[in-house]
């Protein structure tokens, strides 16, 4: 199992889409930091805490794009190249194969989800200091926000992996995941106004709660939801993914 995971991590590191996203998001983080610094009327406004806030906002879009591109080329692409068939015949169980691929994919998505927030936070801190907050210690807020970013990135990865690993065409995965991720919140807000039950489900989903991870001082109940919902989502979709991958025919 360890060798299988190492193999998947190596393939991820060599994957052109992942490398391109790493360079692109690094550039985005640097350019965003420069823009925030030079376009503000008072340069001291751009502190580390302010950079974290802007980075998390941008990350909502960044994460959706990363999920689609890496899922399409790293997971779905292996079907077209015949790698999936070779891996399935390697002697490992389907559950082991899926666990290794999901772990590598999740680690890649987690890394990409941290690039922009970390760069913006570091740039703001270097330029004007880390900054302060009135209602919470800034260091506590930093680590809580980054920890929740990691948790939600893993949750979204577990959802997308179920579809990506069972789809044999990279383009289909990229297009479908982008379409769902970009318009799900808008469609859900509209549907929430129509059906109270759907509103309850949406407000207790990772899609809605992900927008709230940057809250300065959530209540105890909100914090429990912010942690429990993505954790439960990961467990559910890991199980669904393993069941799906175990039954699918690999050609």
């Amino acid at each position: 199992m360890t060798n299988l995971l190492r193999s998947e991590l190596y393939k991820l590191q060599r994957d052109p889409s992942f490398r391109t996203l790493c360079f692109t998001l690094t550039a985005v983080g640097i350019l965003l930091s420069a823009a925030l610094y030079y376009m503000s009327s008072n340069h001291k406004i751009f502190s580390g805490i302010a950079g974290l806030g802007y980075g998390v906002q941008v990350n909502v879009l960044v994460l959706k794009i990363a999920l689609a591109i890496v899922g399409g080329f790293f997971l779905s692409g292996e079907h077209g190249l015949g790698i999936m068939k070779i891996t399935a015949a390697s002697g490992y169980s389907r559950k082991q194969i899926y666990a290794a691929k999901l772990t590598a994919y999740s680690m890649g998505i987690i890394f990409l989800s941290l690039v922009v927030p970390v760069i913006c936070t570091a740039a703001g801190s270097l330029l004007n200091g880390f900054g302060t907050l009135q209602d919470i210690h800034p260091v506590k807020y930093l680590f809580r926000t980054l920890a929740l970013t990691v948790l939600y990135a893993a949750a979204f990865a577990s959802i997308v992996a179920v579809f990506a690993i069972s789809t044999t065409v990279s383009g289909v995965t990229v297009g479908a995941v982008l379409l769902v991720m970009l318009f799900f919140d808008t469609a859900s807000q509209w549907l929430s106004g129509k059906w109270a039950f759907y509103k309850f489900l949406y407000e207790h989903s990772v899609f809605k709660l992900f927008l709230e991870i940057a809250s300065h001082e959530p209540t105890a109940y909100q914090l429990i939801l912010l942690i429990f919902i993505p954790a439960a989502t990961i467990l559910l979709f890991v199980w669904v993914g393993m069941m799906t991958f175990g039954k699918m025919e690999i050609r």
Side-chain angles (χ1 to χ4, degrees), residues 9 17 29 31 39-40 44 46 48 50-51 55 73 80 120 126-127 160 165 175 197 203-204 208 210 212 222 231 243:
L9 289 173
S17 65
L31 292 174
M39 292 178 65
S40 61
K44 292 185 178 181
F46 180 54
F73 292 100
C120 290
L126 289 173
L127 292 169
V160 174
I165 207 166
F197 179 68
E203 290 183 346
H204 292 78
K208 179 64 167 61
F210 180 55
E212 302 174 4
Q222 289 172 329
M243 295 300 102

Side-chain angles (χ1 to χ4, degrees), residues 180-194:
V180 171
M181 288 292 175
L182 292 177
F183 296 102
F184 185 84
D185 289 314
T186 302
S188 292
Q189 290 171 6
W190 180 77
L191 291 172
S192 295
K194 301 288 185 180

Side-chain angles (χ1 to χ4, degrees), residues 36-47 128:
L36 291 171
Y37 179 73
Y38 287 107
M39 292 178 65
S40 61
S41 57
N42 183 352
H43 294 339
K44 292 185 178 181
I45 293 176
F46 180 54
S47 63
N128 292 307

Side-chain angles (χ1 to χ4, degrees), residues 72-89:
F73 292 100
F74 176 65
L75 294 178
S76 300
E78 292 199 341
H79 288 284
L81 297 173
I83 298 175
M84 192 71 76
K85 185 176 182 180
I86 295 172
T87 305

